[in-house]
PDB file of all heavy atoms in Angstrom:
ATOM      1  N   ASN A  37     -16.938 134.476 125.432  1.00 80.00           N
ATOM      2  CA  ASN A  37     -17.274 135.528 126.389  1.00 80.00           C
ATOM      3  C   ASN A  37     -18.752 135.440 126.721  1.00 80.00           C
ATOM      4  O   ASN A  37     -19.560 135.123 125.859  1.00 80.00           O
ATOM      5  CB  ASN A  37     -16.992 136.905 125.790  1.00 80.00           C
ATOM      6  CG  ASN A  37     -15.519 137.159 125.618  1.00 80.00           C
ATOM      7  OD1 ASN A  37     -14.732 136.910 126.516  1.00 80.00           O
ATOM      8  ND2 ASN A  37     -15.141 137.653 124.460  1.00 80.00           N
ATOM      9  N   TRP A  38     -19.093 135.748 127.959  1.00 89.00           N
ATOM     10  CA  TRP A  38     -20.496 135.833 128.334  1.00 89.00           C
ATOM     11  C   TRP A  38     -20.689 137.098 129.145  1.00 89.00           C
ATOM     12  O   TRP A  38     -19.721 137.702 129.596  1.00 89.00           O
ATOM     13  CB  TRP A  38     -20.972 134.586 129.067  1.00 89.00           C
ATOM     14  CG  TRP A  38     -20.265 134.281 130.352  1.00 89.00           C
ATOM     15  CD1 TRP A  38     -19.080 133.633 130.496  1.00 89.00           C
ATOM     16  CD2 TRP A  38     -20.689 134.624 131.667  1.00 89.00           C
ATOM     17  NE1 TRP A  38     -18.748 133.542 131.824  1.00 89.00           N
ATOM     18  CE2 TRP A  38     -19.721 134.146 132.569  1.00 89.00           C
ATOM     19  CE3 TRP A  38     -21.803 135.274 132.180  1.00 89.00           C
ATOM     20  CZ2 TRP A  38     -19.830 134.312 133.942  1.00 89.00           C
ATOM     21  CZ3 TRP A  38     -21.909 135.439 133.553  1.00 89.00           C
ATOM     22  CH2 TRP A  38     -20.938 134.954 134.408  1.00 89.00           C
ATOM     23  N   VAL A  39     -21.944 137.512 129.276  1.00 96.00           N
ATOM     24  CA  VAL A  39     -22.259 138.758 129.966  1.00 96.00           C
ATOM     25  C   VAL A  39     -23.269 138.511 131.072  1.00 96.00           C
ATOM     26  O   VAL A  39     -23.997 137.524 131.052  1.00 96.00           O
ATOM     27  CB  VAL A  39     -22.818 139.836 129.005  1.00 96.00           C
ATOM     28  CG1 VAL A  39     -21.788 140.222 127.966  1.00 96.00           C
ATOM     29  CG2 VAL A  39     -24.119 139.383 128.359  1.00 96.00           C
ATOM     30  N   ALA A  40     -23.329 139.451 132.001  1.00 97.00           N
ATOM     31  CA  ALA A  40     -24.357 139.435 133.047  1.00 97.00           C
ATOM     32  C   ALA A  40     -25.659 139.959 132.453  1.00 97.00           C
ATOM     33  O   ALA A  40     -25.643 140.675 131.444  1.00 97.00           O
ATOM     34  CB  ALA A  40     -23.921 140.316 134.214  1.00 97.00           C
ATOM     35  N   PRO A  41     -26.791 139.619 133.042  1.00 97.00           N
ATOM     36  CA  PRO A  41     -28.076 140.055 132.493  1.00 97.00           C
ATOM     37  C   PRO A  41     -28.253 141.572 132.459  1.00 97.00           C
ATOM     38  O   PRO A  41     -29.016 142.085 131.651  1.00 97.00           O
ATOM     39  CB  PRO A  41     -29.119 139.417 133.406  1.00 97.00           C
ATOM     40  CG  PRO A  41     -28.400 138.616 134.402  1.00 97.00           C
ATOM     41  CD  PRO A  41     -26.933 138.753 134.201  1.00 97.00           C
ATOM     42  N   ASP A  42     -27.528 142.291 133.311  1.00 97.00           N
ATOM     43  CA  ASP A  42     -27.662 143.746 133.320  1.00 97.00           C
ATOM     44  C   ASP A  42     -26.687 144.445 132.367  1.00 97.00           C
ATOM     45  O   ASP A  42     -26.625 145.673 132.327  1.00 97.00           O
ATOM     46  CB  ASP A  42     -27.509 144.300 134.731  1.00 97.00           C
ATOM     47  CG  ASP A  42     -26.159 143.989 135.352  1.00 97.00           C
ATOM     48  OD1 ASP A  42     -25.374 143.212 134.766  1.00 97.00           O
ATOM     49  OD2 ASP A  42     -25.878 144.523 136.446  1.00 97.00           O
ATOM     50  N   ALA A  43     -25.961 143.687 131.562  1.00 97.00           N
ATOM     51  CA  ALA A  43     -25.062 144.287 130.565  1.00 97.00           C
ATOM     52  C   ALA A  43     -25.885 145.078 129.554  1.00 97.00           C
ATOM     53  O   ALA A  43     -26.963 144.653 129.132  1.00 97.00           O
ATOM     54  CB  ALA A  43     -24.267 143.197 129.851  1.00 97.00           C
ATOM     55  N   SER A  44     -25.375 146.220 129.171  1.00 96.00           N
ATOM     56  CA  SER A  44     -26.087 147.045 128.194  1.00 96.00           C
ATOM     57  C   SER A  44     -26.013 146.397 126.809  1.00 96.00           C
ATOM     58  O   SER A  44     -25.101 145.610 126.523  1.00 96.00           O
ATOM     59  CB  SER A  44     -25.471 148.443 128.133  1.00 96.00           C
ATOM     60  OG  SER A  44     -24.196 148.391 127.517  1.00 96.00           O
ATOM     61  N   LEU A  45     -26.953 146.762 125.960  1.00 94.00           N
ATOM     62  CA  LEU A  45     -26.916 146.247 124.588  1.00 94.00           C
ATOM     63  C   LEU A  45     -25.660 146.709 123.868  1.00 94.00           C
ATOM     64  O   LEU A  45     -25.122 145.985 123.036  1.00 94.00           O
ATOM     65  CB  LEU A  45     -28.155 146.673 123.808  1.00 94.00           C
ATOM     66  CG  LEU A  45     -29.448 145.971 124.180  1.00 94.00           C
ATOM     67  CD1 LEU A  45     -30.537 146.295 123.165  1.00 94.00           C
ATOM     68  CD2 LEU A  45     -29.281 144.471 124.289  1.00 94.00           C
ATOM     69  N   GLN A  47     -22.711 147.004 125.219  1.00 96.00           N
ATOM     70  CA  GLN A  47     -21.656 146.077 125.639  1.00 96.00           C
ATOM     71  C   GLN A  47     -21.763 144.761 124.877  1.00 96.00           C
ATOM     72  O   GLN A  47     -20.765 144.214 124.425  1.00 96.00           O
ATOM     73  CB  GLN A  47     -21.746 145.797 127.138  1.00 96.00           C
ATOM     74  CG  GLN A  47     -21.379 146.964 128.019  1.00 96.00           C
ATOM     75  CD  GLN A  47     -21.688 146.670 129.481  1.00 96.00           C
ATOM     76  OE1 GLN A  47     -22.823 146.361 129.835  1.00 96.00           O
ATOM     77  NE2 GLN A  47     -20.677 146.777 130.325  1.00 96.00           N
ATOM     78  N   VAL A  48     -22.986 144.256 124.758  1.00 96.00           N
ATOM     79  CA  VAL A  48     -23.204 142.991 124.049  1.00 96.00           C
ATOM     80  C   VAL A  48     -22.793 143.137 122.583  1.00 96.00           C
ATOM     81  O   VAL A  48     -22.085 142.284 122.033  1.00 96.00           O
ATOM     82  CB  VAL A  48     -24.673 142.538 124.169  1.00 96.00           C
ATOM     83  CG1 VAL A  48     -24.930 141.292 123.333  1.00 96.00           C
ATOM     84  CG2 VAL A  48     -25.042 142.291 125.629  1.00 96.00           C
ATOM     85  N   ILE A  51     -19.023 143.132 122.136  1.00 94.00           N
ATOM     86  CA  ILE A  51     -18.458 141.775 122.210  1.00 94.00           C
ATOM     87  C   ILE A  51     -18.674 141.056 120.883  1.00 94.00           C
ATOM     88  O   ILE A  51     -17.770 140.392 120.370  1.00 94.00           O
ATOM     89  CB  ILE A  51     -19.073 140.986 123.385  1.00 94.00           C
ATOM     90  CG1 ILE A  51     -18.573 141.549 124.714  1.00 94.00           C
ATOM     91  CG2 ILE A  51     -18.741 139.490 123.274  1.00 94.00           C
ATOM     92  CD1 ILE A  51     -19.298 141.001 125.934  1.00 94.00           C
ATOM     93  N   VAL A  60     -24.159 135.983 122.130  1.00 94.00           N
ATOM     94  CA  VAL A  60     -23.408 136.088 123.380  1.00 94.00           C
ATOM     95  C   VAL A  60     -24.253 135.464 124.489  1.00 94.00           C
ATOM     96  O   VAL A  60     -25.390 135.886 124.719  1.00 94.00           O
ATOM     97  CB  VAL A  60     -23.094 137.559 123.724  1.00 94.00           C
ATOM     98  CG1 VAL A  60     -22.399 137.671 125.074  1.00 94.00           C
ATOM     99  CG2 VAL A  60     -22.240 138.197 122.632  1.00 94.00           C
ATOM    100  N   PRO A  61     -23.722 134.458 125.176  1.00 94.00           N
ATOM    101  CA  PRO A  61     -24.448 133.846 126.290  1.00 94.00           C
ATOM    102  C   PRO A  61     -24.589 134.831 127.462  1.00 94.00           C
ATOM    103  O   PRO A  61     -23.748 135.707 127.663  1.00 94.00           O
ATOM    104  CB  PRO A  61     -23.568 132.662 126.698  1.00 94.00           C
ATOM    105  CG  PRO A  61     -22.661 132.432 125.530  1.00 94.00           C
ATOM    106  CD  PRO A  61     -22.470 133.765 124.893  1.00 94.00           C
ATOM    107  N   VAL A  62     -25.668 134.653 128.230  1.00 96.00           N
ATOM    108  CA  VAL A  62     -25.942 135.483 129.398  1.00 96.00           C
ATOM    109  C   VAL A  62     -25.911 134.573 130.620  1.00 96.00           C
ATOM    110  O   VAL A  62     -26.573 133.525 130.639  1.00 96.00           O
ATOM    111  CB  VAL A  62     -27.323 136.172 129.272  1.00 96.00           C
ATOM    112  CG1 VAL A  62     -27.598 137.034 130.503  1.00 96.00           C
ATOM    113  CG2 VAL A  62     -27.400 136.998 127.992  1.00 96.00           C
ATOM    114  N   GLY A  63     -25.143 134.975 131.639  1.00 93.00           N
ATOM    115  CA  GLY A  63     -25.013 134.168 132.841  1.00 93.00           C
ATOM    116  C   GLY A  63     -25.309 134.958 134.094  1.00 93.00           C
ATOM    117  O   GLY A  63     -25.092 136.168 134.155  1.00 93.00           O
ATOM    118  N   GLU A  64     -25.837 134.241 135.097  1.00 91.00           N
ATOM    119  CA  GLU A  64     -26.146 134.851 136.384  1.00 91.00           C
ATOM    120  C   GLU A  64     -25.927 133.798 137.461  1.00 91.00           C
ATOM    121  O   GLU A  64     -26.358 132.650 137.301  1.00 91.00           O
ATOM    122  CB  GLU A  64     -27.597 135.316 136.388  1.00 91.00           C
ATOM    123  CG  GLU A  64     -28.026 136.053 137.616  1.00 91.00           C
ATOM    124  CD  GLU A  64     -29.427 136.634 137.461  1.00 91.00           C
ATOM    125  OE1 GLU A  64     -30.356 135.883 137.071  1.00 91.00           O
ATOM    126  OE2 GLU A  64     -29.585 137.831 137.733  1.00 91.00           O
ATOM    127  N   ASN A  65     -25.265 134.187 138.538  1.00 87.00           N
ATOM    128  CA  ASN A  65     -24.984 133.248 139.623  1.00 87.00           C
ATOM    129  C   ASN A  65     -24.298 131.983 139.111  1.00 87.00           C
ATOM    130  O   ASN A  65     -24.657 130.867 139.477  1.00 87.00           O
ATOM    131  CB  ASN A  65     -26.256 132.890 140.396  1.00 87.00           C
ATOM    132  CG  ASN A  65     -26.883 134.098 141.030  1.00 87.00           C
ATOM    133  OD1 ASN A  65     -26.201 135.001 141.495  1.00 87.00           O
ATOM    134  ND2 ASN A  65     -28.203 134.125 141.024  1.00 87.00           N
ATOM    135  N   ARG A  67     -24.484 130.516 136.294  1.00 86.00           N
ATOM    136  CA  ARG A  67     -25.318 129.635 135.466  1.00 86.00           C
ATOM    137  C   ARG A  67     -25.722 130.371 134.208  1.00 86.00           C
ATOM    138  O   ARG A  67     -25.998 131.567 134.236  1.00 86.00           O
ATOM    139  CB  ARG A  67     -26.579 129.223 136.204  1.00 86.00           C
ATOM    140  CG  ARG A  67     -26.323 128.460 137.488  1.00 86.00           C
ATOM    141  CD  ARG A  67     -27.603 127.954 138.083  1.00 86.00           C
ATOM    142  NE  ARG A  67     -28.178 126.906 137.268  1.00 86.00           N
ATOM    143  CZ  ARG A  67     -27.979 125.614 137.435  1.00 86.00           C
ATOM    144  NH1 ARG A  67     -27.201 125.198 138.395  1.00 86.00           N
ATOM    145  NH2 ARG A  67     -28.568 124.730 136.661  1.00 86.00           N
ATOM    146  N   ILE A  69     -28.316 131.565 131.630  1.00 93.00           N
ATOM    147  CA  ILE A  69     -29.765 131.778 131.725  1.00 93.00           C
ATOM    148  C   ILE A  69     -30.383 132.209 130.407  1.00 93.00           C
ATOM    149  O   ILE A  69     -31.601 132.281 130.278  1.00 93.00           O
ATOM    150  CB  ILE A  69     -30.117 132.812 132.812  1.00 93.00           C
ATOM    151  CG1 ILE A  69     -29.507 134.175 132.492  1.00 93.00           C
ATOM    152  CG2 ILE A  69     -29.699 132.311 134.181  1.00 93.00           C
ATOM    153  CD1 ILE A  69     -30.047 135.311 133.343  1.00 93.00           C
ATOM    154  N   VAL A  72     -28.172 136.196 123.887  1.00 95.00           N
ATOM    155  CA  VAL A  72     -28.526 137.351 123.072  1.00 95.00           C
ATOM    156  C   VAL A  72     -27.900 137.148 121.702  1.00 95.00           C
ATOM    157  O   VAL A  72     -26.686 136.972 121.589  1.00 95.00           O
ATOM    158  CB  VAL A  72     -28.017 138.678 123.671  1.00 95.00           C
ATOM    159  CG1 VAL A  72     -28.328 139.843 122.728  1.00 95.00           C
ATOM    160  CG2 VAL A  72     -28.624 138.924 125.036  1.00 95.00           C
ATOM    161  N   THR A  92     -31.152 146.174 128.411  1.00 96.00           N
ATOM    162  CA  THR A  92     -30.083 145.284 128.866  1.00 96.00           C
ATOM    163  C   THR A  92     -30.183 143.932 128.154  1.00 96.00           C
ATOM    164  O   THR A  92     -31.160 143.648 127.460  1.00 96.00           O
ATOM    165  CB  THR A  92     -30.185 145.041 130.382  1.00 96.00           C
ATOM    166  OG1 THR A  92     -31.405 144.329 130.647  1.00 96.00           O
ATOM    167  CG2 THR A  92     -30.149 146.339 131.160  1.00 96.00           C
ATOM    168  N   ALA A  93     -29.197 143.114 128.401  1.00 96.00           N
ATOM    169  CA  ALA A  93     -29.202 141.752 127.849  1.00 96.00           C
ATOM    170  C   ALA A  93     -30.462 141.011 128.277  1.00 96.00           C
ATOM    171  O   ALA A  93     -31.097 140.324 127.469  1.00 96.00           O
ATOM    172  CB  ALA A  93     -27.952 140.998 128.297  1.00 96.00           C
ATOM    173  N   ARG A  94     -30.857 141.161 129.541  1.00 96.00           N
ATOM    174  CA  ARG A  94     -32.053 140.471 130.039  1.00 96.00           C
ATOM    175  C   ARG A  94     -33.313 140.884 129.262  1.00 96.00           C
ATOM    176  O   ARG A  94     -34.204 140.085 129.037  1.00 96.00           O
ATOM    177  CB  ARG A  94     -32.260 140.735 131.520  1.00 96.00           C
ATOM    178  CG  ARG A  94     -33.406 139.906 132.105  1.00 96.00           C
ATOM    179  CD  ARG A  94     -33.732 140.238 133.553  1.00 96.00           C
ATOM    180  NE  ARG A  94     -32.631 140.189 134.478  1.00 96.00           N
ATOM    181  CZ  ARG A  94     -32.218 139.087 135.114  1.00 96.00           C
ATOM    182  NH1 ARG A  94     -32.798 137.932 134.884  1.00 96.00           N
ATOM    183  NH2 ARG A  94     -31.219 139.150 135.968  1.00 96.00           N
ATOM    184  N   ASP A  95     -33.375 142.139 128.844  1.00 95.00           N
ATOM    185  CA  ASP A  95     -34.552 142.650 128.139  1.00 95.00           C
ATOM    186  C   ASP A  95     -34.766 141.993 126.782  1.00 95.00           C
ATOM    187  O   ASP A  95     -35.899 141.891 126.322  1.00 95.00           O
ATOM    188  CB  ASP A  95     -34.447 144.168 127.937  1.00 95.00           C
ATOM    189  CG  ASP A  95     -34.445 144.936 129.246  1.00 95.00           C
ATOM    190  OD1 ASP A  95     -35.124 144.501 130.204  1.00 95.00           O
ATOM    191  OD2 ASP A  95     -33.767 145.985 129.301  1.00 95.00           O
ATOM    192  N   MET A  97     -32.822 139.007 125.626  1.00 95.00           N
ATOM    193  CA  MET A  97     -32.273 137.647 125.476  1.00 95.00           C
ATOM    194  C   MET A  97     -33.362 136.611 125.223  1.00 95.00           C
ATOM    195  O   MET A  97     -34.516 136.786 125.605  1.00 95.00           O
ATOM    196  CB  MET A  97     -31.466 137.253 126.710  1.00 95.00           C
ATOM    197  CG  MET A  97     -32.298 136.951 127.927  1.00 95.00           C
ATOM    198  SD  MET A  97     -31.233 136.558 129.331  1.00 95.00           S
ATOM    199  CE  MET A  97     -32.471 136.060 130.513  1.00 95.00           C
TER     200      MET A  97
END
Side-chain angles (χ1 to χ4, degrees):
N37 291 313
W38 61 277
V39 297
D42 60 352
S44 71
L45 287 191
Q47 290 172 303
V48 175
I51 290 170
V60 176
V62 180
E64 184 173 51
N65 299 324
R67 299 186 69 93
I69 62 167
V72 176
T92 65
R94 186 186 307 273
D95 296 326
M97 73 182 187

